[in-house]
Amino acid sequence: MSIHGDEAYNNFMKGYNCAQSVALAYAEEMHLTPEQALTMSAGFGGGVGRLREVCGAFSGIVLVLGALYGSPDPSQKTALYTEVQALAERYRTENGGGSIVCRELLGLKKAEGSPVASPRTPEYYKKRPCPELVRLAANILDDYIAAHPLPEHK
């Protein structure tokens, strides 16, 4: 159990989307204010704008990974992409759904076709894997960070 995992879980339960929940948990490490982390990750929820594509929790992993380990040097893209793909494989393996696609993790055949977020009701929380997925995403990030100490300049 990780502090960031619990924080991400609690963030989701406060009403933030999956990407926001993960990003907010790492705001301090990314040298961002909570408002900056929430704002920059806002559009990734619901599988990117509720399109039900790439899972918001996994998008949160990518956002944090880029902020902490990314480089402005275009020649370094492959190194970061390699890490993203490895983390995607771990997320697929551990999330119980074998995917990084939101609609697949939610058991949907297709996106609902609406940008309107679902109301956060007790029923919503009972049928969604999202709180546990954001916890998993943060746990994966914590493991990654522990195994790859941050560079001095970050």
Side-chain angles (χ1 to χ4, degrees):
M1 190 170 315
S2 77
I3 293 170
H4 289 101
D6 291 343
E7 188 176 342
Y9 179 96
N10 291 332
N11 291 339
F12 188 83
M13 299 305 281
K14 291 176 185 172
Y16 296 113
N17 72 40
C18 294
Q20 287 177 309
S21 298
V22 174
L24 181 57
Y26 290 91
E28 184 176 332
E29 288 83 353
M30 294 188 292
H31 304 290
L32 298 172
T33 66
E35 293 78 16
Q36 289 170 322
L38 290 168
T39 301
M40 70 188 309
S41 57
F44 292 98
V48 182
R50 210 162 181 271
L51 292 169
R52 303 300 188 203
E53 295 295 336
V54 175
C55 167
F58 185 73
S59 292
I61 288 175
V62 176
L63 186 131
V64 172
L65 187 73
L68 299 182
Y69 299 93
S71 171
D73 180 352
S75 71
Q76 298 302 307
K77 289 187 284 191
T78 299
L80 185 65
Y81 294 172
T82 299
E83 299 303 313
V84 169
Q85 289 188 14
L87 291 172
E89 185 55 34
R90 179 167 173 196
Y91 186 72
R92 281 185 194 100
T93 300
E94 294 184 21
N95 68 24
S99 180
I100 64 166
V101 177
C102 176
R103 73 178 165 279
E104 293 173 2
L105 294 168
L106 294 179
L108 302 173
K109 299 242 188 269
K110 62 181 183 142
E112 298 92 331
S114 170
V116 179
S118 300
R120 296 288 181 94
T121 64
E123 293 75 32
Y124 172 92
Y125 289 112
K126 284 181 189 172
K127 69 180 181 177
R128 292 277 197 246
C130 306
E132 290 303 329
L133 291 175
V134 300
R135 184 192 310 267
L136 172 63
N139 289 343
I140 289 171
L141 277 167
D142 280 351
D143 288 350
Y144 184 88
I145 292 166
H148 302 86
L150 290 170
E152 291 297 318
H153 70 277
K154 293 273 181 166

